[in-house]
Amino acid sequence: MKRFGVLLCAAMLAGAARYEASAPESEAFTQPIEGLDATHAASFRKGSGIFRQAWVIGPSQDHPDFIGLGPLYNRLSCIACHVKNGRGAAPDSENGVARTMAARLSVDGKDAHGGPRVHPDYGAQLNPEGVPGVAGEGQAVANYAEFDVLFPDGGKITLRRPTLSFRNLAYGPFGPETKTSLRNAPPVYGLGLLEAVAEAEILAGKGRPNFVFDIETGKRALGRFGLKANQPNLKQQIANAFAEDIGITSSLFPVETCAPTLSECRSASKPELSDAQLDAVLNYIRALAPPARRNLEEPPVKDGEALFHQIGCSDCHRDALHVADFPLQPALNGVDIHPYTDLLLHDMGEELADGRDDFEAGPREWRTPPLWGLGLAGKGGDGANFLHDGRARTPAEAILWHGGEAQTSVDAFRNLPEPQRDALLAFLNSL
């Protein structure tokens, strides 16, 4: 009976997953893992509230536990960029300002822990907003130039190449040595299961690991989160996002991110995000289930899955990993999950290069993104834009932007007749 229960839970979470039938597509990314005990269920609800809460400057009688916004920030809450826990949206065509994205900044060299050396005036990322009396740093603007790509069988697809620029820089020009990278907000469901994959299984993959700095241990650790696998665990990933995106300090990141003219605020102070709040958000993210697959028995989906393996996509987008230890739901220990990632770095070619090193990740290297939930992108009000900078509007566009290690697979996709291309895309849409 226990084995049946394990399989049922695994079926809900894995590639053939089924979450609650009553959950509409618009809520597909908001469901908790089945069978959480009362304590973890309560923590999930608390963390969900904090994830959605807008932070304020203070004082506030209405929100006394959510004071400390800024002095510089990108958005007021986590959910503002990760709408319904999904992807960010590309800038609108009217003004091009990136609102659910972040512009990462660095200069030549590395910091004391081997990470990127942040910009001396603007820090690790550009924050467009400031509290009263503090000027926002400026806006990142993405404009897209479209061009057509022809398939050998006469089909056509339009791609778009982004150009990143900046306006209203409040603290002077960046300088010619500045390296910039536009980063779209990635989805946050299923991350707890990826954290539970054993390090040895990740290192057995075909990609290259990124080893980064773990703040709590003070040691070098395997990176598995972030678009370049530049964070070792979810706790550090979440705390860093609070610090960089909302200006909220914590025990992991106790120093405010400030412009040079506000150096007095760089000193450590009482954390604005308590350890209890951080743990609640951590448990919320860890317990978010990936959505169920759909249309598994349709012939195009089956054919597309075979083609996915045949042309080599699964070399990086591994279809199966294993949960090693998952305290939130021990019944899942040892089960298969199907995220379609290896959590490793791969050379994606010059077209996708951002010109920045990130710990051991080079400018052309990106972590393989999970594909589960791909077919539901945009269904809940979240963005339906793909790749690190949101340039791809469809999975087909994303495929054609691949280069480097993936070039052979891209060429194979382009040479497929249209019915087979459609079948491969039908498979991706089923995830």
Side-chain angles (χ1 to χ4, degrees), residues 143-147 159-163:
N143 292 307
Y144 297 92
E146 294 189 344
F147 61 97
L159 303 185
R160 59 179 191 172
R161 180 179 285 109
T163 300

Side-chain angles (χ1 to χ4, degrees), residues 42-61:
S43 185
F44 179 88
R45 291 190 296 271
K46 179 180 178 182
S48 174
I50 297 171
F51 194 81
R52 286 157 174 74
Q53 178 65 47
W55 289 74
V56 298
I57 303 166
S60 171
Q61 292 182 345

Side-chain angles (χ1 to χ4, degrees), residues 234-258:
L234 281 177
K235 185 176 182 179
Q236 188 164 312
Q237 171 75 20
I238 292 166
N240 179 255
F242 268 104
E244 294 290 349
D245 297 333
I246 314 180
I248 300 299
T249 59
S250 65
S251 57
L252 266 66
F253 293 90
V255 179
E256 298 278 12
T257 56
C258 306

Side-chain angles (χ1 to χ4, degrees), residues 159-315:
L159 303 185
R160 59 179 191 172
R161 180 179 285 109
T163 300
L164 180 62
S165 61
F166 301 91
R167 67 173 65 144
N168 301 323
L169 293 177
Y171 303 104
F174 285 154
E177 76 284 0
T178 303
K179 303 174 188 297
T180 64
S181 182
L182 186 63
R183 304 288 182 84
N184 194 23
V188 297
Y189 53 82
L191 301 185
L193 297 172
L194 296 179
E195 188 177 48
V197 176
E199 183 173 312
E201 183 172 9
I202 296 172
L203 295 176
K206 297 181 179 180
R208 201 169 73 83
N210 191 7
F211 285 97
V212 302
F213 183 70
D214 186 316
I215 292 174
E216 285 195 298
T217 66
K219 296 179 180 179
R220 182 174 178 262
L222 175 68
R224 66 175 79 193
F225 297 109
L227 294 171
K228 284 184 178 277
N230 64 341
Q231 294 291 354
N233 53 59
L234 281 177
K235 185 176 182 179
Q236 188 164 312
Q237 171 75 20
I238 292 166
N240 179 255
F242 268 104
E244 294 290 349
D245 297 333
I246 314 180
I248 300 299
T249 59
S250 65
S251 57
L252 266 66
F253 293 90
V255 179
E256 298 278 12
T257 56
C258 306
T261 55
L262 301 171
S263 57
E264 66 274 7
C265 83
R266 291 182 182 273
S267 59
S269 59
K270 179 182 178 181
E272 295 154 341
L273 182 73
S274 70
D275 286 344
Q277 289 173 315
L278 177 56
D279 287 343
V281 178
L282 176 60
N283 283 334
Y284 171 67
I285 297 297
R286 279 178 173 163
L288 279 172
R293 279 194 61 187
R294 301 152 314 285
N295 309 321
L296 294 176
E297 300 305 316
E298 291 187 1
V301 172
K302 290 184 175 181
D303 293 343
E305 184 170 12
L307 287 166
F308 184 83
H309 291 276
Q310 180 182 317
I311 69 175
C313 302
S314 58
D315 288 350

